[in-house]
Structure formats: C-alpha cells, structure tokens
Amino acid sequence: MSKSPQFDIVIQEQQRLTDVLSSIEETARQNKAKIANHYAYTAELEKARLDSVSWREKNSLTFKLIENDKFDPAKYLTSFQMIDSPYFGVVGIKDTDKRIGAKEYLIGKQGFVSHDNRALIVDWRKAPISRFFYDYEVGEEYLETIQGKDREGEITRRDTVEIAKRSLRRIESGADLYELTGGGWMKNDKQYHTTTDTKVANQDHRMVDIVSLISPDQFQMITSEATDGCTLITGGAGSGKTVVSLHRLSCLQFNDPGRFTPDRCLVLMFNKVLRNYVRQTSSDLLGSTRVDTFSAWALSAITALTGKVIKPVITDTLTVQKKSSKLSGLLARYVQEVQEPEPIQDLWRFYGQPYVLEAMFGEGENEKEAFLGELRRRYAVRSQAVSFADVSVLLRLCQLREKEGPVRDALGWYAHIIVDEGQDLSLLELEAILAATDKRNSITLSADSKQKILSWVDAADFDIFHNNLREVGVSNEALSVSYRCPKEIMALAARISSRENEQVGRHSGVLEYHKAADEENALITLRRLVEQLVTEDPNSLTAVICKKKTDEKMLHKALHGIKGLHEPGELTFEPGALVTIAHQVKGVEFANVILYDPNTKDFRKSALDRNLLYVCVTRACKRLDIVYWRELATGLV
Ligand SMILES: Nc1ncnc2c1ncn2[C@@H]1O[C@H](COP(=O)(O)OP(=O)(O)OP(=O)(O)O)[C@@H](O)[C@H]1O
C-alpha cells in the first residue's frame, strides 16, 4: 500500500491543533470545576444561614453570600463555542521589540484564553492583531499601534487553515495548497476557491460567511472607526456590499457591546428572498439582531408608535405618487398645521391637503377630484384600507407626530441600522430609517445605482438623501472587485451596465448562448440543460430566470418531472433547480443561472430594464446560459 507523503507543515499544524484542542478541553474542565465549586460553596453558605439561630450570624452570612455572588465565575468564564473549527488563520510576525520577537497568532471566530492565561486564539474582530492577518502580505513590514504602543516588524507567515469537526482538512500557504483527500494529504497549486465551492460542499446555498477571505479594503471598511453617521458602501454586483455590512455590524457589536446590543441593531433587506438568504449567516454573526424587510419593519414600527396593527392591501394605482420625494417636506408642514388624533384618519387628511394633491397630480384635475372623493369617503367611514405604498407615508407621519422622544423599534431607538440595496428605497423610506436611529445616526447603507429596478422609486431620491446626509455625517466607501461572477460573465455585465470601472472577476466560468428556432425548441433546450446541470452536479443550485410571472408558471410546467426541481413558491436554497422571475433575485446568487428568452420586448432600452438585465446575469457564480428564440435584448449581443 502506498503511503501518502508527509509534509512538515501538515505535521506541525496537526500538532498545533491537537495542543489547542486539549487546552480548550482542559480549560472547559477547569472552568466547570470552578463553577461547580462556587455553587457548592454558595449552597453551603445558604444552608448555614438557614440553620443559624443568631441574627448576627445570619447577617454576616447574607453579606458573605452577596460578596460571593459578585465573583460568580459563570459570569466571566465564557465557554468557547467554536471547538469544531477553532481557528482559520495563522499569522506570523517578527517584531523589532526583542521581548516580542518571533510570534504566531491564531485567528478565529471567537477569542480563546486558556486556563493558564495564554491568549491562544484572537477573535478576527480584534482589529489591531487581526490586521496582521487581513492587511499584510508575507514579507511586508508593519507599523501598528497595539494597546497604546507602536510596534514594528515584518510579517513572516500568513496561512489559511480549514478545520472541520476538530480535524485539519486544508492549509493554504503562499502559492501552495495542502489538502486532505481520500488518498491522504496532497500538495497542489493554490486555486481560486469561491464561496460557491463551500456552498456546494455544504449542500446549502444560503450566504456563507467570509471571515477567512476578507480582503484588505473590505477589512478597512469593516473595522472603520467612523461609528457615528452614515457609511455608504457602493460597488458593483458581487463586490461584497452585503457581506461587508454584516461583518461591519458584527465588529461594532464585538467592540462596543454596551452600545450595539442586538435589540438596538437592525438589518433591513430588500425582499423576503434576500432576507431568507442571509438569515443563517446573519444570526451566526449578529446573534439575535433583527433581520427583516423594510415593509415588515415599517409595519411593526407603526404598531410601536400607535398601538395599531396594520394589514396592508396590495394593489394601489397611486404607488408612484405616494412614493414621491415631494411628500417629505409636505409631511412636516402638515404636522405643524393640522391636528388629527387617529393615525389612519390623519393619513387620509394629509393626502387631502391642496398642496399635497398638487404635488401628487400637478395639473391632473380629474385625478385630483377622483382621489379627493375617495379620501372623503374613507375619512367618513374611518377606512383602515392602507396599501403597501401608504406604509412609508404613514410611518413618517407617525414619527413626526411623536413628541415624547425615543420609541422602541421605531424612533430615535437604534444604535445601528444596516440598509441593503438602498438605491431602491424612496426618500421617505430612507428618512424613516434615519429617524429610527438614535442621536448618533449610525447607519451602514449599501447601494448600487446600476441595480435600481423599481419603477415607482425616483432615481433622484437616493441622491437627495445622500446630500441630506451631510448634516449627520457621511463617509463614502467603494468596493471595486467582483468576487461572485467569473471573468466572462463580468465582461458581459460591464457591457450591459456600461460601467467603465467594473473590475472583471478573478476566476473563470462558462458563458454560453443557445439559440433555438422557436419557443417549443427553446423549451426543449432549456429542459436538456437543466437536466444536464442537475445530473452533473446534484449538490449545486441552478436558477432559471425569466422576466414575467406568466413565463415562470409556463417554465415550471415545461420542467415538470426533473429530479431536484423545486416546487413553485418561496425560494429555498437547497441544491437542485428552481424557476424564478428577475425581480425576485436581487441580492442573491446561484451556482448556475439560465436566463430564459431575454428579448428586446421584455428588456427594452430603458435604464430600469438594463439594470434588471444586469442583475440577472450577475447572479451566476459559475455558469451562465442564455436560452433564446427571439431577438436578444440590447447588451447581450
Ligand atoms: N473577499 C472575498 N473573498 C471571496 N469571496 C467574497 C469576498 N467578498 C465577498 N465574497 C463573495 O462574493 C459574493 C457576493 O457578495 P455580496 O452578496 O455581499 O455582494 P454584493 O455587492 O452585495 O452583491 P449584489 O450587489 O449583487 O447584491 C458572495 O458569495 C460573497 O461570499
């Protein structure tokens, strides 16, 4: 039997892991014993107090119990949760200070101090030390201030290790990759390992954390000291805006837990699909912090402000008018001039003001009259029929009416809010979010103007809000490398978006066009492709994306019976294949995307359609297939 080769680095790292694991176990054992001793002593004191007949002795024992409780080891001995995968990074330094000299740090998702008081693992959020890992290359000289002292030296090592179920699986060291395979440890050249590879291996296609992969510019944004005011993160599709925002909040919570408690933090996502996509990772990074859609949060904020539970009806023909930025200033004027105690009646009266009607309809006298008539009817019958478009107006109105100060979950409350996909929020929505933060207005806002896809939101709103943010302070950060899509797909995306500075992806993938003679043949091609992709790699996830809801149903029928095809309805991120529409996929990603029939009628030359096309093609992590039978939309040819 041939023996697998022995690599020194693997032997050393295995030994290190064994030492760290036994130290973690010994520390846990000793901590448990300390806690048990403490409780035994407490029980002894309590019994003695109960048995005592002298009040003087009872008092003395009560005092002892109070003192004893102050030193309860359970309060300060936090248990180490990451034993299966205790660290992911090894960084070596050679410090010019001889007392420090050569030293290696292990970087993990939780810090660990052993029973004999050695800091064995450093939490990745402890910036001064973890910066050695994230910010420097091997051979680079560093100059850092750590605990008030300037430190100089050279980085001697920067390796990434993968440990699963307490065993070492992989080491990336410089250009070398050591990997445990079925046949033992192998050494290969390092290849670009995408987060999709991790998803395929885990058979779970929701967002994965990137702590071991964070780039230097991402690390700077994540650990930025600007904790007050707004941090605006811009960047093209797949540049890491969402993951950077989530990791940034995780850092804030770690470094200032008293201020950024989970109940004072909020993460707002574009839609339910994106919320479900990030939830697992966000709860690992952010604990019980609420992650929700804007609408769900806004409804609960209205309840917090008014005590009313609102159930919006979906259809509203006046969405564009109700999302108009002009309403923002008019709400402030109305609140000054009119008093109306019932919140929804207040909303109908607001819309009925002449200056509001003017702003909503301009010269359109007939529309004004019709709307006014409807408002009078609603006011008379005390109608509660609020639409989704009314929600942000109502929320802002309730916030402006509130005079008492902070209201939990609704006004002046949050220490930090993350807003993802900010370009698709209206001015009123953005203002409501800002008003929900406390005096320090701490927000991370991510946005990409080339991914604005909602027709009822005015593109100028985001710029107005950005301009207004100057009052609370705004720092602008830009991400420029796309991590999601392969080169070929990014080159196509850059053509669609006409984005000159779009940096092409770092890895290669597949981009293929499949022209069919007619719809029937296009469906045959589609079926063949889906079958092929699902069979070739049953652990990956393929999304078939079309423009219209009616096509979604038709495609589902055409693919019926394929093994691994997801049921229609809410998207899940299990392996297999799914059919969805373009508007659902913003913010999420799939290993393979098949874009079905992106023709010139469905994707016209308008900016919105171009943006939607850009969103569709940039969802693909490995492979993009375009199946078509009509004239291809501009940008795709
Ligand atoms: N430094 C990195 N190294 C490797 N992968 C990364 C890195 N940063 C982000 N990624 C991966 O790139 C993908 C895109 O990240 P993310 O969804 O945060 O981008 P985004 O800018 O929000 O994209 P979009 O605008 O399309 O929503 C994810 O799979 C993420 O895990």
Coordinates of all heavy atoms in Angstrom, one line a residue, residues 31-96:
N31 N -12.9 25.2 34.1 CA -13.9 26.2 34.3 C -15.2 25.6 35.0 O -15.8 26.2 35.8 CB -14.3 26.9 33.0 CG -13.2 27.8 32.5 OD1 -12.3 28.1 33.2 ND2 -13.4 28.3 31.3
K32 N -15.5 24.4 34.5 CA -16.7 23.7 35.0 C -16.5 23.4 36.5 O -17.4 23.6 37.3 CB -16.8 22.4 34.3 CG -18.2 21.9 34.1 CD -18.3 20.8 33.2 CE -19.4 19.9 33.6 NZ -19.4 18.6 33.0
A33 N -15.2 23.0 36.8 CA -14.9 22.7 38.2 C -15.0 24.0 39.1 O -15.6 24.0 40.2 CB -13.5 22.1 38.3
K34 N -14.5 25.1 38.5 CA -14.6 26.4 39.3 C -16.0 26.8 39.5 O -16.4 27.2 40.6 CB -13.9 27.5 38.4 CG -12.4 27.6 38.6 CD -11.9 28.8 37.8 CE -10.4 28.6 37.5 NZ -9.9 29.3 36.4
I35 N -16.8 26.6 38.5 CA -18.3 27.0 38.7 C -18.9 26.1 39.7 O -19.7 26.5 40.5 CB -19.0 27.0 37.3 CG1 -18.4 28.1 36.4 CG2 -20.5 27.1 37.4 CD1 -18.8 28.0 34.9
A36 N -18.6 24.8 39.6 CA -19.2 23.8 40.5 C -18.8 24.1 41.9 O -19.6 24.1 42.9 CB -18.8 22.4 40.1
N37 N -17.5 24.4 42.1 CA -17.0 24.8 43.5 C -17.8 26.0 44.0 O -18.2 26.0 45.2 CB -15.5 25.1 43.5 CG -14.7 23.9 43.3 OD1 -15.2 22.8 43.5 ND2 -13.4 24.0 43.0
H38 N -17.9 27.0 43.1 CA -18.6 28.2 43.5 C -20.0 27.9 44.0 O -20.4 28.4 45.1 CB -18.6 29.2 42.4 CG -19.4 30.4 42.6 ND1 -18.9 31.5 43.3 CD2 -20.7 30.7 42.4 CE1 -19.8 32.4 43.4 NE2 -20.9 32.0 42.9
Y39 N -20.7 27.0 43.2 CA -22.1 26.7 43.6 C -22.2 25.9 44.9 O -23.1 26.1 45.7 CB -22.9 26.1 42.4 CG -23.1 27.1 41.3 CD1 -23.0 26.8 40.0 CD2 -23.5 28.4 41.7 CE1 -23.2 27.7 39.0 CE2 -23.7 29.4 40.7 CZ -23.6 29.0 39.3 OH -23.8 29.9 38.4
A40 N -21.2 25.0 45.0 CA -21.2 24.2 46.2 C -21.0 25.1 47.5 O -21.7 25.0 48.5 CB -20.1 23.2 46.2
Y41 N -20.0 26.1 47.3 CA -19.8 27.0 48.4 C -21.0 27.8 48.7 O -21.4 28.1 49.9 CB -18.6 27.9 48.1 CG -18.2 28.8 49.2 CD1 -17.9 28.4 50.5 CD2 -18.1 30.2 48.9 CE1 -17.6 29.3 51.5 CE2 -17.8 31.1 49.9 CZ -17.5 30.6 51.2 OH -17.2 31.5 52.2
T42 N -21.7 28.3 47.6 CA -22.9 29.1 47.8 C -24.0 28.3 48.6 O -24.6 28.8 49.5 CB -23.5 29.5 46.4 OG1 -22.5 30.1 45.7 CG2 -24.7 30.5 46.6
A43 N -24.1 27.0 48.2 CA -25.1 26.1 48.8 C -24.8 26.0 50.3 O -25.7 26.0 51.2 CB -25.2 24.8 48.1
E44 N -23.5 25.8 50.6 CA -23.0 25.7 52.0 C -23.4 26.9 52.8 O -23.9 26.8 53.9 CB -21.5 25.6 51.9 CG -20.9 24.6 52.9 CD -19.4 24.5 52.6 OE1 -18.6 25.4 53.2 OE2 -18.9 23.7 51.7
L45 N -23.1 28.1 52.2 CA -23.4 29.4 52.9 C -24.9 29.5 53.2 O -25.4 29.9 54.2 CB -23.0 30.6 52.1 CG -21.5 30.8 52.0 CD1 -21.2 32.0 51.1 CD2 -20.9 31.1 53.4
E46 N -25.7 29.1 52.1 CA -27.2 29.2 52.3 C -27.7 28.3 53.4 O -28.6 28.7 54.2 CB -27.9 28.9 50.9 CG -27.9 30.1 50.0 CD -28.3 29.8 48.6 OE1 -28.3 28.6 48.2 OE2 -28.5 30.8 47.9
K47 N -27.1 27.1 53.4 CA -27.6 26.1 54.4 C -27.2 26.6 55.8 O -28.0 26.6 56.7 CB -26.9 24.8 54.1 CG -27.4 23.7 55.1 CD -27.0 22.3 54.6 CE -27.5 21.2 55.6 NZ -27.4 21.5 57.0
A48 N -26.0 27.1 55.9 CA -25.5 27.7 57.2 C -26.4 28.8 57.7 O -26.8 28.9 58.8 CB -24.1 28.1 57.1
R49 N -26.8 29.6 56.7 CA -27.7 30.8 57.1 C -29.1 30.3 57.5 O -29.6 30.8 58.5 CB -27.9 31.7 55.9 CG -28.6 33.0 56.3 CD -28.6 34.0 55.2 NE -29.3 33.5 54.0 CZ -29.7 34.2 53.0 NH1 -29.3 35.5 52.9 NH2 -30.3 33.7 51.9
L50 N -29.5 29.2 56.9 CA -30.8 28.7 57.2 C -30.8 28.0 58.6 O -31.7 28.2 59.4 CB -31.2 27.6 56.2 CG -32.7 27.3 56.0 CD1 -33.4 28.5 55.5 CD2 -32.9 26.1 55.1
D51 N -29.7 27.4 58.9 CA -29.6 26.6 60.2 C -29.3 27.6 61.3 O -29.5 27.2 62.5 CB -28.4 25.6 60.1 CG -28.8 24.5 59.1 OD1 -30.0 24.4 58.7 OD2 -27.9 23.7 58.7
S52 N -28.7 28.8 61.0 CA -28.3 29.6 62.1 C -29.4 30.2 62.9 O -30.5 30.5 62.3 CB -27.5 30.8 61.5 OG -27.2 31.8 62.4
V53 N -29.2 30.3 64.2 CA -30.3 30.9 65.1 C -29.9 32.3 65.5 O -30.8 33.0 66.0 CB -30.5 30.0 66.3 CG1 -31.3 28.7 65.9 CG2 -29.2 29.6 67.0
S54 N -28.7 32.7 65.2 CA -28.3 34.0 65.6 C -28.5 35.0 64.5 O -28.0 34.8 63.4 CB -26.8 34.0 66.1 OG -26.2 35.2 65.7
W55 N -29.2 36.1 64.8 CA -29.5 37.1 63.7 C -28.1 37.7 63.2 O -27.9 38.1 62.1 CB -30.5 38.2 64.1 CG -30.1 39.1 65.2 CD1 -30.4 38.9 66.5 CD2 -29.3 40.3 65.1 NE1 -29.8 39.9 67.2 CE2 -29.2 40.8 66.4 CE3 -28.7 41.0 64.0 CZ2 -28.4 42.0 66.6 CZ3 -28.0 42.1 64.3 CH2 -27.9 42.6 65.6
R56 N -27.2 37.9 64.2 CA -25.9 38.5 63.9 C -25.2 37.6 62.8 O -24.7 38.0 61.8 CB -25.1 38.6 65.1 CG -24.1 39.7 65.2 CD -23.3 39.7 66.5 NE -24.0 40.4 67.6 CZ -24.0 41.7 67.8 NH1 -23.3 42.4 67.0 NH2 -24.6 42.2 68.8
E57 N -25.2 36.3 63.1 CA -24.6 35.3 62.2 C -25.3 35.3 60.8 O -24.7 35.3 59.8 CB -24.6 33.9 62.8 CG -23.6 33.0 62.1 CD -23.6 31.6 62.7 OE1 -24.6 31.2 63.3 OE2 -22.7 30.8 62.4
K58 N -26.6 35.4 60.9 CA -27.4 35.4 59.7 C -27.0 36.6 58.8 O -26.8 36.4 57.6 CB -28.9 35.5 60.0 CG -29.6 34.1 60.1 CD -31.1 34.4 60.1 CE -31.9 33.1 60.6 NZ -31.8 32.0 59.7
N59 N -26.9 37.8 59.5 CA -26.5 39.0 58.7 C -25.1 38.8 58.1 O -24.9 39.2 56.9 CB -26.5 40.2 59.6 CG -27.9 40.8 59.8 OD1 -28.8 40.3 59.1 ND2 -28.0 41.7 60.7
S60 N -24.2 38.3 58.9 CA -22.9 38.1 58.3 C -22.9 37.1 57.1 O -22.2 37.3 56.1 CB -22.0 37.6 59.5 OG -20.9 36.8 59.0
L61 N -23.7 36.0 57.2 CA -23.7 35.1 56.1 C -24.4 35.7 54.9 O -24.0 35.4 53.8 CB -24.5 33.8 56.6 CG -23.7 32.9 57.5 CD1 -24.6 31.9 58.2 CD2 -22.6 32.2 56.7
T62 N -25.4 36.5 55.1 CA -26.0 37.2 54.0 C -25.0 38.1 53.3 O -24.9 38.1 52.0 CB -27.2 38.1 54.5 OG1 -28.1 37.3 55.2 CG2 -27.9 38.8 53.3
F63 N -24.2 38.8 54.1 CA -23.1 39.6 53.5 C -22.2 38.8 52.7 O -21.8 39.1 51.5 CB -22.4 40.4 54.6 CG -21.3 41.3 54.1 CD1 -21.7 42.5 53.4 CD2 -20.0 41.0 54.2 CE1 -20.6 43.3 52.9 CE2 -19.0 41.8 53.7 CZ -19.3 42.9 53.1
K64 N -21.8 37.7 53.2 CA -20.9 36.7 52.5 C -21.5 36.2 51.2 O -20.8 36.1 50.2 CB -20.6 35.5 53.4 CG -19.3 35.7 54.3 CD -19.0 34.4 54.9 CE -17.8 34.6 55.8 NZ -17.6 33.4 56.7
L65 N -22.8 35.9 51.3 CA -23.4 35.5 50.0 C -23.4 36.5 48.9 O -23.2 36.3 47.8 CB -24.9 35.0 50.3 CG -25.1 33.6 50.8 CD1 -26.4 33.4 51.5 CD2 -24.9 32.7 49.6
I66 N -23.7 37.8 49.4 CA -23.7 38.9 48.4 C -22.3 39.0 47.8 O -22.1 39.1 46.6 CB -24.2 40.2 49.0 CG1 -25.6 40.1 49.4 CG2 -24.0 41.4 48.1 CD1 -26.2 41.2 50.3
E67 N -21.3 39.0 48.6 CA -19.9 39.1 48.2 C -19.5 38.0 47.2 O -19.0 38.2 46.2 CB -18.9 39.1 49.3 CG -18.8 40.5 50.1 CD -18.4 41.6 49.1 OE1 -17.3 41.6 48.6 OE2 -19.3 42.5 48.9
N68 N -20.0 36.8 47.6 CA -19.7 35.6 46.9 C -20.3 35.7 45.5 O -19.7 35.3 44.5 CB -20.2 34.4 47.6 CG -19.9 33.1 46.9 OD1 -18.8 32.8 46.6 ND2 -20.9 32.2 46.8
D69 N -21.5 36.2 45.4 CA -22.2 36.3 44.1 C -21.5 37.2 43.1 O -21.5 37.0 41.9 CB -23.6 36.8 44.4 CG -24.4 36.8 43.1 OD1 -24.5 35.7 42.5 OD2 -24.9 37.9 42.7
K70 N -20.8 38.2 43.7 CA -20.0 39.2 42.8 C -19.0 38.4 42.1 O -18.5 38.9 41.0 CB -19.4 40.3 43.7 CG -20.4 41.3 44.1 CD -19.6 42.4 44.8 CE -20.5 43.3 45.6 NZ -19.9 44.0 46.7
F71 N -18.5 37.3 42.6 CA -17.4 36.6 42.0 C -17.8 35.3 41.3 O -17.1 34.4 41.2 CB -16.2 36.4 43.0 CG -15.7 37.7 43.5 CD1 -16.1 38.1 44.8 CD2 -14.9 38.5 42.8 CE1 -15.6 39.3 45.3 CE2 -14.5 39.7 43.2 CZ -14.8 40.1 44.5
D72 N -19.1 35.3 40.9 CA -19.6 34.1 40.3 C -18.9 33.8 39.0 O -18.9 34.6 38.0 CB -21.1 34.3 40.0 CG -21.8 33.1 39.3 OD1 -21.0 32.2 39.0 OD2 -23.0 33.2 39.2
P73 N -18.1 32.7 38.9 CA -17.2 32.5 37.7 C -18.1 32.3 36.4 O -17.6 32.6 35.3 CB -16.5 31.2 38.0 CG -17.1 30.6 39.2 CD -17.9 31.7 39.9
A74 N -19.3 31.9 36.6 CA -20.2 31.7 35.4 C -20.4 33.1 34.7 O -20.7 33.1 33.5 CB -21.5 31.2 35.8
K75 N -20.2 34.2 35.4 CA -20.4 35.5 34.8 C -19.2 35.9 33.9 O -19.4 36.6 32.9 CB -20.6 36.6 35.8 CG -21.9 36.5 36.5 CD -22.1 37.6 37.5 CE -23.3 37.4 38.4 NZ -23.3 38.2 39.6
Y76 N -18.0 35.5 34.2 CA -16.9 35.9 33.4 C -16.2 34.8 32.6 O -15.4 35.0 31.7 CB -15.9 36.7 34.2 CG -15.3 35.9 35.4 CD1 -14.2 35.2 35.3 CD2 -15.9 36.0 36.7 CE1 -13.6 34.5 36.3 CE2 -15.4 35.3 37.7 CZ -14.2 34.5 37.6 OH -13.7 33.8 38.6
L77 N -16.5 33.5 33.0 CA -15.8 32.4 32.2 C -16.7 32.0 31.0 O -17.6 31.2 31.2 CB -15.6 31.2 33.1 CG -14.6 31.4 34.3 CD1 -14.6 30.2 35.1 CD2 -13.2 31.7 33.7
T78 N -16.5 32.7 29.9 CA -17.4 32.4 28.8 C -16.9 31.1 28.1 O -15.7 30.9 28.0 CB -17.4 33.5 27.7 OG1 -16.0 33.9 27.5 CG2 -18.2 34.7 28.1
S79 N -17.9 30.3 27.8 CA -17.5 29.0 27.2 C -17.1 29.2 25.7 O -17.6 30.1 25.0 CB -18.6 28.0 27.3 OG -19.7 28.4 26.5
F80 N -16.2 28.4 25.3 CA -15.7 28.5 23.9 C -16.6 27.6 23.0 O -16.7 26.4 23.2 CB -14.2 28.0 23.8 CG -13.6 28.2 22.5 CD1 -13.3 29.5 22.1 CD2 -13.4 27.2 21.6 CE1 -12.7 29.7 20.8 CE2 -12.8 27.4 20.4 CZ -12.5 28.6 20.0
Q81 N -17.2 28.3 22.0 CA -18.3 27.6 21.2 C -17.7 27.0 20.0 O -18.4 26.2 19.3 CB -19.3 28.7 20.8 CG -19.9 29.6 21.9 CD -20.9 28.8 22.7 OE1 -21.4 27.8 22.3 NE2 -21.1 29.3 24.0
M82 N -16.5 27.4 19.6 CA -16.1 27.0 18.2 C -15.1 25.8 18.2 O -14.2 25.8 17.4 CB -15.3 28.2 17.6 CG -16.2 29.5 17.5 SD -17.4 29.2 16.2 CE -18.5 30.5 16.6
I83 N -15.3 24.9 19.1 CA -14.3 23.8 19.3 C -14.2 23.0 18.0 O -13.1 22.5 17.6 CB -14.6 22.9 20.5 CG1 -13.5 22.0 20.7 CG2 -15.9 22.2 20.4 CD1 -13.2 21.6 22.1
D84 N -15.3 22.8 17.2 CA -15.2 22.0 16.0 C -14.2 22.7 14.9 O -13.6 22.0 14.1 CB -16.5 21.8 15.4 CG -17.3 20.7 16.1 OD1 -16.6 20.0 16.9 OD2 -18.5 20.5 15.9
S85 N -14.2 24.0 15.0 CA -13.4 24.7 14.0 C -12.8 25.9 14.7 O -13.3 27.1 14.5 CB -14.2 25.1 12.8 OG -13.5 25.8 11.9
P86 N -11.8 25.7 15.6 CA -11.4 26.8 16.5 C -10.7 28.0 15.9 O -10.8 29.1 16.4 CB -10.5 26.1 17.5 CG -10.1 24.8 16.9 CD -11.1 24.5 15.9
Y87 N -10.1 27.8 14.7 CA -9.4 29.0 14.1 C -9.3 28.7 12.6 O -9.4 27.6 12.1 CB -8.1 29.3 14.7 CG -7.1 28.1 14.8 CD1 -6.3 27.8 13.7 CD2 -7.1 27.3 15.9 CE1 -5.4 26.7 13.8 CE2 -6.3 26.2 16.0 CZ -5.4 25.9 14.9 OH -4.6 24.8 15.0
F88 N -9.1 29.8 11.9 CA -9.0 29.7 10.4 C -7.7 30.4 9.8 O -7.4 30.2 8.7 CB -10.2 30.3 9.7 CG -10.5 31.7 10.1 CD1 -9.8 32.7 9.4 CD2 -11.4 32.1 11.0 CE1 -10.0 34.1 9.8 CE2 -11.6 33.4 11.4 CZ -10.9 34.4 10.7
G89 N -7.0 31.1 10.7 CA -5.9 31.8 10.2 C -4.7 31.7 11.1 O -4.8 31.6 12.3
V90 N -3.5 31.7 10.4 CA -2.2 31.6 11.2 C -1.4 32.8 10.7 O -1.1 32.8 9.5 CB -1.5 30.3 11.0 CG1 -0.2 30.3 11.9 CG2 -2.3 29.1 11.3
V91 N -1.0 33.7 11.5 CA -0.2 34.8 11.1 C 1.1 34.9 11.9 O 1.0 34.8 13.2 CB -1.0 36.1 11.0 CG1 -1.5 36.6 12.3 CG2 -0.2 37.2 10.3
G92 N 2.2 35.0 11.3 CA 3.5 35.1 12.0 C 4.1 36.5 11.8 O 4.0 37.1 10.8
I93 N 4.7 36.9 12.9 CA 5.4 38.2 12.9 C 6.8 38.1 13.5 O 7.1 37.2 14.2 CB 4.6 39.3 13.7 CG1 4.5 38.9 15.2 CG2 3.2 39.6 13.1 CD1 4.1 40.1 16.1
K94 N 7.6 39.0 13.0 CA 8.9 39.1 13.7 C 9.0 40.6 14.1 O 9.2 41.5 13.3 CB 10.0 38.8 12.7 CG 11.3 38.6 13.4 CD 12.3 37.8 12.5 CE 13.7 37.9 13.1 NZ 14.7 38.1 12.2
D95 N 8.9 40.8 15.4 CA 8.8 42.2 15.9 C 10.2 42.7 16.2 O 11.0 41.9 16.7 CB 7.9 42.2 17.2 CG 7.3 43.6 17.4 OD1 7.9 44.5 17.9 OD2 6.1 43.7 17.0
T96 N 10.4 44.0 16.0 CA 11.7 44.6 16.3 C 12.0 44.6 17.9 O 13.1 44.7 18.3 CB 11.9 46.0 15.7 OG1 10.8 46.7 16.1 CG2 12.0 45.9 14.2

